[in-house]
Amino acid sequence: MAQRVTTQLLLLLVGVAAVWAARSRTELLNVCMDAKHHKEKPSPEDELHKQCSPWKKNSCCSTNTSQEAHKDISYLYRFNWNHCGHMTPACKRHFIQDTCLYECSPNLGPWIQEVNQSWRKERILDVPLCKEDCQQWWEDCRTSYTCKSNWHQGWDWTSGYNRCPAGAACLPFHFHFPTPAALCSEIWTHSYQASNYSRGSGRCIQMWFDPAQGNPNEEVARFYAMAMSAGALPRGVEPLLLSLALMLQLGLLGLAPFTL
């Protein structure tokens, strides 16, 4: 028999959801990774350099890190973007932006995973990059060359920076990354994945955004943190509470009683 739920009971249920969600979400929002150059906690950095400047109001990177992110073979990771000849500026700007996002963003908490690596204790995994960001990255790098599809491992570091391993031929990017999705997911061992969502949807992380309009990735992190928090609730409760949260977010829930 259908059961009528009063507004008071409904609001109480939503309150319970908020309490449960807050318990799991505290380490997912506004956090920095435990990695090589990240700050312990995000804070303002008024002098962030060039492409990293969108994060100056709340950042996990220091000014010095943001400056190094723009250099070739910087002290950050001694990585040589020009390992197969000159990388075009149009292509390189995406790798600089990728570095700024990774080092500076406090909105990657839902995708932070623990790792057992000598140079970091945490990494990001399967961050959903907006489809336009992956598409433009791929388009702008089509005329540049590389010798590998996984840039996290397999390099020759004997010179103090990465060089192509013996026998690895330099080929156009599209040979190693035939699609935008392949580029986003494979180049950093699935740190990212290509989302089907567009910029402004609130469902994908933007590498590029106008800080004058606010940081859209805050909303995205909140959405995924709420979804993940629901997964930690007592069995049978999480689907209902997550549905209520989504209904509230979409403005579909009124104050009048309704029937379950």
Side-chain angles (χ1 to χ4, degrees):
M1 181 176 176
Q3 187 178 24
R4 295 188 63 80
V5 181
T6 66
T7 299
Q8 184 178 7
L9 182 58
L10 175 61
L11 292 178
L12 177 62
L13 185 58
V14 172
V16 171
V19 171
W20 274 98
R23 292 180 59 187
S24 299
R25 215 175 354 174
T26 52
E27 296 184 358
L28 297 180
L29 298 176
N30 197 39
V31 294
C32 300
M33 271 180 283
D34 186 354
K36 190 172 184 179
H37 301 291
H38 290 73
K39 297 178 347 187
E40 184 177 349
K41 296 180 180 179
S43 61
E45 292 284 348
D46 293 338
E47 303 298 325
L48 289 188
H49 193 58
K50 293 184 178 180
Q51 289 182 222
C52 294
S53 63
W55 288 276
K56 67 181 181 180
K57 289 185 178 180
N58 194 34
S59 175
C60 287
C61 68
S62 66
T63 297
N64 189 46
T65 295
S66 73
Q67 293 170 338
E68 292 294 321
H70 291 73
K71 298 179 181 178
D72 294 329
I73 316 182
S74 75
Y75 89 91
L76 294 181
Y77 304 104
R78 301 294 299 166
F79 199 91
N80 177 24
W81 306 118
N82 301 312
H83 52 267
C84 275
H86 180 67
M87 178 182 283
T88 65
C91 179
K92 187 175 294 184
R93 73 187 185 100
H94 291 277
F95 286 98
I96 294 172
Q97 197 71 11
D98 157 44
T99 303
C100 289
L101 175 68
Y102 173 80
E103 299 289 346
C104 303
S105 178
N107 307 123
L108 302 176
W111 303 278
I112 292 177
Q113 301 285 326
E114 290 185 2
V115 290
N116 182 21
Q117 296 177 329
S118 61
W119 56 285
R120 62 180 180 179
K121 295 181 180 180
E122 292 179 331
R123 63 162 294 183
I124 49 175
L125 183 67
D126 291 331
V127 174
L129 283 188
C130 295
K131 64 180 182 180
E132 297 93 339
D133 288 359
C134 286
Q135 181 70 36
Q136 197 60 53
W137 192 354
W138 184 75
E139 291 285 352
D140 288 346
C141 289
R142 284 176 61 86
T143 58
S144 291
Y145 285 70
T146 185
C147 55
K148 287 171 48 56
S149 59
N150 185 335
W151 286 17
H152 261 156
Q153 57 192 14
W155 297 100
D156 176 0
W157 291 95
T158 56
S159 60
Y161 57 87
N162 61 302
R163 300 174 66 182
C164 293
C170 288
L171 298 166
F173 259 59
H174 62 78
F175 177 85
H176 292 283
F177 309 109
T179 64
L183 172 61
C184 277
S185 65
E186 294 175 15
I187 196 163
W188 298 126
T189 323
H190 301 284
S191 292
Y192 303 123
Q193 63 174 336
S195 173
N196 290 323
Y197 288 104
S198 296
R199 295 175 185 170
S201 65
R203 300 295 180 267
C204 60
I205 292 292
Q206 294 183 207
M207 278 177 49
W208 305 85
F209 62 90
D210 179 3
Q213 305 299 319
N215 185 342
N217 295 330
E218 293 176 358
E219 177 188 351
V220 179
R222 283 194 297 268
F223 174 81
Y224 285 98
M226 181 173 290
M228 292 175 182
S229 296
L233 298 177
R235 186 175 181 181
V237 177
E238 65 269 27
L240 175 59
L241 297 186
L242 181 56
S243 295
L244 288 171
L246 294 177
M247 289 166 71
L248 283 171
Q249 187 174 11
L250 294 173
L252 298 179
L253 191 60
L255 293 180
F258 68 100
T259 301
L260 286 179

